[in-house]
């Protein structure tokens, strides 16, 4: 019998059942149990294989462009009154952290002999990264994307198509990330034998939450080494945006045992938590089952999933990864939130102070820097996960500026 895990031994989870305390697990159709179990076996075998890890490291270095820089944002630091570094995942090939996970999973899919790749995407960055690695290895790729996101992320749709992917718009429900995930799961059930479902975040049935986390841990591992080299000590705080939560978990996980390092995850509170038009599963949701796992979800009194809202397509999801749910309940991560307007202000501030356009997703984390800086004090050291670049969001920002402009 497996020895029970201590709840404060955070890095040991999930347990043998794929659960992080009460959260996670496998809630899938009977048809999907064999491929899910086969995936777990293949992943564990690969992560114990030095040749697989060496190949992944080589691809990170020569194709992805790792390690990504840890940049001291001097003017932003002066503005907020603390020493602030940016972990610049937007400088990776394809412009976000998503390529880390996609490279790991495409190597795993090839190891398993899969001949077709499917994926879901919201902001389009995971879709672009999936299409990119499929082009790199010559595998056909289908990306499901909500019709609303297809419209607001048109540049990424064109990038996916140029890379050879088939983009399938999803018009059901709210026509956003939740609905794209539903369609991808339906495809997988129908085409189990030769298809690999390349999930983009720390969500879904076990082993996806742990597997995606482990492929994103490179962010936190690099950050720890880089900040020790630059400052001779660990940071006082880490800050990252969270939707499903892969960039945050990748940054945070190597620091979970360092209890003096405060961890802040920032959800999308959209037009305000009190309006119901938000995507803050922790602040405004409760536990339930969606897309194969038990976690915090936005739902009505009858348990029906409600629509999420965020100005950032990548955070427009009504749930959060089960490890985040566990770490919230355990008190290890503090979950904050930022509204659309606060996010836009943070987007503009970084552009003007540092010459960097952050993704609107990342700008949620930047929006909470005033509070975090006050908490750590003027001698405090903060690292912000800059998960993606903002080129894809310029049309959204410009449209908001036009709507706010006074009538002539």
């Amino acid at each position: 019998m497996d020895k029970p895990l201590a709840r404060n031994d955070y890095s040991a989870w999930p347990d043998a059942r794929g659960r992080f305390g009460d959260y996670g697990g496998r809630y899938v159709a009977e048809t999907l149990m064999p491929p899910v179990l086969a995936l777990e076996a293949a992943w564990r075998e690969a992560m114990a294989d030095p040749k697989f890890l060496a190949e992944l490291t080589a691809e990170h270095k020569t194709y992805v462009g790792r390690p990504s820089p840890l940049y001291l944002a001097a003017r932003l630091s002066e503005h907020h009154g603390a020493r602030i570094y940016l972990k610049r995942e937007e400088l990776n090939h394809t412009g976000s952290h998503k390529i880390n996970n996609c490279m790991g999973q495409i190597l795993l899919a090839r190891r398993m002999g899969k001949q077709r790749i499917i994926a879901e995407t919201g902001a389009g960055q995971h879709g672009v990264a999936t299409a990119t690695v499929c082009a790199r290895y010559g595998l056909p790729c289908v990306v499901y994307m909500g019709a609303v996101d297809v419209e607001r992320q048109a540049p990424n749709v064109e990038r996916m198509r140029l890379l050879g992917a088939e983009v399938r718009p999803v018009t059901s429900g709210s026509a956003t990330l939740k609905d794209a995930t539903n369609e991808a799961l339906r495809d997988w059930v129908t085409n189990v034998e030769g298809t690999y479902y390349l999930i983009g975040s720390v969500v879904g049935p076990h082993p996806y939450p742990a597997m995606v986390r482990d492929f994103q841990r490179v962010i936190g591992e690099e950050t720890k080494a880089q900040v020790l080299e630059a400052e001779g000590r660990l940071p006082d705080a880490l800050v990252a945006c969270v939707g499903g939560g892969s960039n945050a978990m990748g940054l945070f996980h190597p620091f979970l045992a360092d209890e003096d390092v405060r961890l802040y995850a920032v959800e999308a509170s959209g037009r305000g938590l009190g309006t119901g038009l938000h995507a803050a599963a922790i602040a405004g949701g409760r536990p339930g089952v969606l897309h194969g796992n038990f976690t915090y979800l936005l739902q009505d009194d009858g348990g029906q999933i409600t629509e999420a809202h965020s100005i950032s397509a990548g955070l427009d999801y009504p749930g959060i990864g089960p490890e985040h749910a566990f770490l919230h309940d355990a008190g290890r991560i503090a979950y904050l939130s930022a509204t659309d307007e606060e996010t836009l202000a943070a987007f503009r501030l970084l552009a003007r102070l540092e010459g960097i356009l952050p993704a609107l997703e990342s700008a949620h984390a930047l929006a909470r820097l005033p509070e975090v800086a006050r908490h750590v004090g003027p001698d405090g050291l903060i690292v912000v996960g800059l998960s993606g670049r903002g080129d894809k969001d310029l049309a959204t920002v410009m449209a908001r500026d036009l709507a706010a402009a006074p009538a002539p």
Side-chain angles (χ1 to χ4, degrees):
M1 185 174 179
D2 293 316
K3 182 180 178 181
L5 299 178
R7 293 191 71 85
N8 62 351
D9 186 8
Y10 305 120
S11 63
W13 297 84
D15 64 16
R17 301 174 301 149
R19 288 189 172 272
F20 301 89
D22 297 329
Y23 303 100
R26 295 187 182 97
Y27 296 83
V28 297
E30 185 177 346
T31 309
L32 288 181
M33 281 303 293
V36 164
L37 292 171
L39 175 60
E40 181 184 7
W43 163 60
R44 293 194 182 282
E45 181 183 83
M47 295 303 282
D49 183 350
K51 291 183 179 179
F52 177 86
L53 297 176
E55 184 178 12
L56 179 58
T57 299
E59 289 287 63
H60 278 165
K61 181 178 180 180
T62 63
Y63 192 73
V64 175
R66 303 206 70 89
S68 65
L70 185 69
Y71 166 68
L72 176 60
R75 297 189 67 210
L76 188 70
S77 297
E78 182 180 3
H79 180 85
H80 287 302
R83 197 164 174 82
I84 300 171
Y85 282 85
L86 306 178
K87 180 56 173 168
R88 299 198 57 189
E89 291 297 293
E90 96 282 7
L91 294 180
N92 292 337
H93 181 41
T94 74
S96 82
H97 69 293
K98 294 293 188 181
I99 191 72
N100 305 324
N101 168 53
C102 288
M103 184 57 72
Q105 287 203 59
I106 200 71
L107 294 179
L108 186 58
R110 293 177 71 238
R111 184 184 180 99
M112 296 175 71
K114 300 298 183 180
Q115 298 300 314
R116 176 177 178 263
I117 307 299
I118 61 172
E120 84 298 325
T121 196
Q125 288 301 116
H126 175 59
V128 168
T130 302
T132 296
V133 296
C134 286
R136 165 76 177 84
Y137 287 105
L139 291 173
C141 175
V142 175
V143 179
Y144 289 92
M145 190 173 190
V148 169
D149 295 334
V150 167
E151 182 176 348
R152 63 178 170 175
Q153 298 292 332
N156 275 344
V157 175
E158 183 60 23
R159 290 170 73 192
M160 285 182 266
R161 288 172 174 158
L162 283 170
L163 290 161
E166 178 189 350
V167 180
R168 295 186 184 176
V170 177
T171 58
S172 59
S174 60
T176 55
L177 181 56
K178 168 180 68 71
D179 311 289
T181 305
N182 290 340
E183 289 303 315
L185 284 167
R186 291 187 184 103
D187 184 319
W188 197 21
V189 169
T190 307
N191 302 284
V192 164
E193 190 61 33
T195 294
Y196 184 96
Y197 182 13
L198 204 161
I199 287 181
S201 195
V202 286
V203 298
H206 181 66
Y208 282 107
M211 180 174 69
V212 175
R213 175 202 71 197
D214 284 355
F215 286 141
Q216 292 291 4
R217 276 175 51 95
V218 64
I219 303 171
E221 289 166 353
E222 286 180 4
T223 297
K224 181 173 277 193
Q226 289 168 325
V227 75
L228 284 171
E229 180 179 1
E231 296 285 342
R233 69 180 183 92
L234 294 179
D236 297 292
L238 303 177
V239 190
C241 67
V242 60
S246 65
N247 91 92
M249 196 53 64
L251 175 62
F252 294 164
H253 199 264
F255 292 87
L256 288 178
D258 302 304
E259 295 189 358
D260 290 337
V261 180
R262 301 174 181 135
L263 308 177
Y264 297 93
V266 184
E267 298 186 291
S269 55
R271 297 179 188 173
L273 293 174
T275 68
L277 296 172
H278 63 80
I282 293 288
R286 55 191 173 86
V289 174
L290 179 67
H291 297 149
N293 72 105
F294 182 71
T295 187
Y296 277 87
L297 305 171
L298 301 181
Q299 50 189 313
D300 62 22
D301 291 340
Q304 296 300 306
I305 302 302
T306 57
E307 292 184 11
H309 164 79
S310 172
I311 194 171
S312 55
L315 303 186
D316 202 353
Y317 183 72
I320 193 168
E323 189 166 11
H324 280 286
F326 167 66
L327 292 168
H328 164 265
D329 286 6
R332 182 62 185 97
I333 300 176
Y335 289 82
L336 312 177
S337 65
T339 66
D340 290 347
E341 291 304 320
E342 290 171 326
T343 297
L344 286 165
F347 177 97
R348 296 186 181 100
L349 184 67
L350 190 68
R352 292 170 184 171
L353 291 184
E354 296 291 348
I356 298 171
L357 296 181
L360 284 173
E361 289 80 8
S362 310
H364 283 75
L366 296 165
R368 292 279 68 85
L369 279 176
E371 293 89 338
V372 176
R374 284 196 296 270
H375 198 181
V376 302
D379 296 324
L381 183 60
I382 302 169
V383 175
V384 182
L386 202 66
S387 58
R389 65 182 181 224
D391 311 50
K392 67 182 179 60
D393 295 315
L394 288 179
T396 299
V397 175
M398 290 169 62
R400 186 61 69 97
D401 288 344
L402 286 172

